[in-house]
Every structure is written in C-alpha cells, then in structure tokens.
Amino acid sequence: VNWVEIEGSYVLMPPAIPWGVIHFIGGAVLGTYPHIAYNELFTRVCRESGIAVVATPYDVGLDHQQLSRDAATAFDATLKACQTRYGWSEAMPV
C-alpha cells in the first residue's frame, strides 16, 4: 500500500476496491505532511477496513476560512480524479 499524490492530496488505497473514503486534514504542526506523519495509522486503517484515505495537507495561517476552502477544493478535485481514474462511485460514503 503506497501513497499517491493526486490533485494536491495524498491517496492511500486498500488492497481491494474501497467501499468508503476517509478525508483527513493534517494538524497544525505536521499539516503539510499528513501522509508521512500519520502513515502507520492510515496504513492500518486502510488495510483492515477497506477504506481509502485522502490526506489533504495545508499550511498554517490566520485566515481559517480560506484554509478550509482550499482544503475542501483540493479534496473535491482529488475525489473527482479518483472517481475517474479508479472508478470510485459517486455514492461512496465519505
């Protein structure tokens, strides 16, 4: 199981077709590297649950509204790319 960068987020796929997606936005200290900082946790969750993980990095800043918009935009772009690339259902729970 390896991370793949897609549209600005990092995607971790389970061994089989995922039945759902977890969206993770990193914390303030390690927010730019969630796929590295939380790799062990996400790898275990992904393998044991069959859920894909989308980890969206972000920079620390004071404009929280803009940071949340940027993270949502990156996630939406990644989700659409995965639907096209991997055939994920639009009805897949997030």
Side-chain angles (χ1 to χ4, degrees), residues 6 13 21 75-94:
I6 300 175
M13 297 278 290
V21 179
F75 175 72
D76 289 343
T78 301
L79 189 59
K80 287 182 190 292
C82 288
Q83 289 167 345
T84 301
R85 186 181 297 185
Y86 302 118
W88 290 7
S89 168
E90 290 184 21
M92 182 183 293
V94 177

Side-chain angles (χ1 to χ4, degrees), residues 15-68:
I17 296 172
W19 62 268
V21 179
I22 293 173
H23 182 214
F24 180 82
I25 301 173
V29 176
L30 301 171
T32 10
Y33 307 102
H35 63 296
I36 295 170
Y38 303 99
N39 182 57
E40 188 173 331
L41 170 66
F42 292 144
T43 298
R44 187 171 179 185
V45 167
C46 189
R47 283 187 181 151
E48 292 181 13
S49 68
I51 296 174
V53 177
V54 175
T56 303
Y58 74 93
D59 294 321
V60 177
L62 297 177
D63 189 347
H64 298 277
Q65 202 168 36
Q66 186 60 49
L67 291 171
S68 64

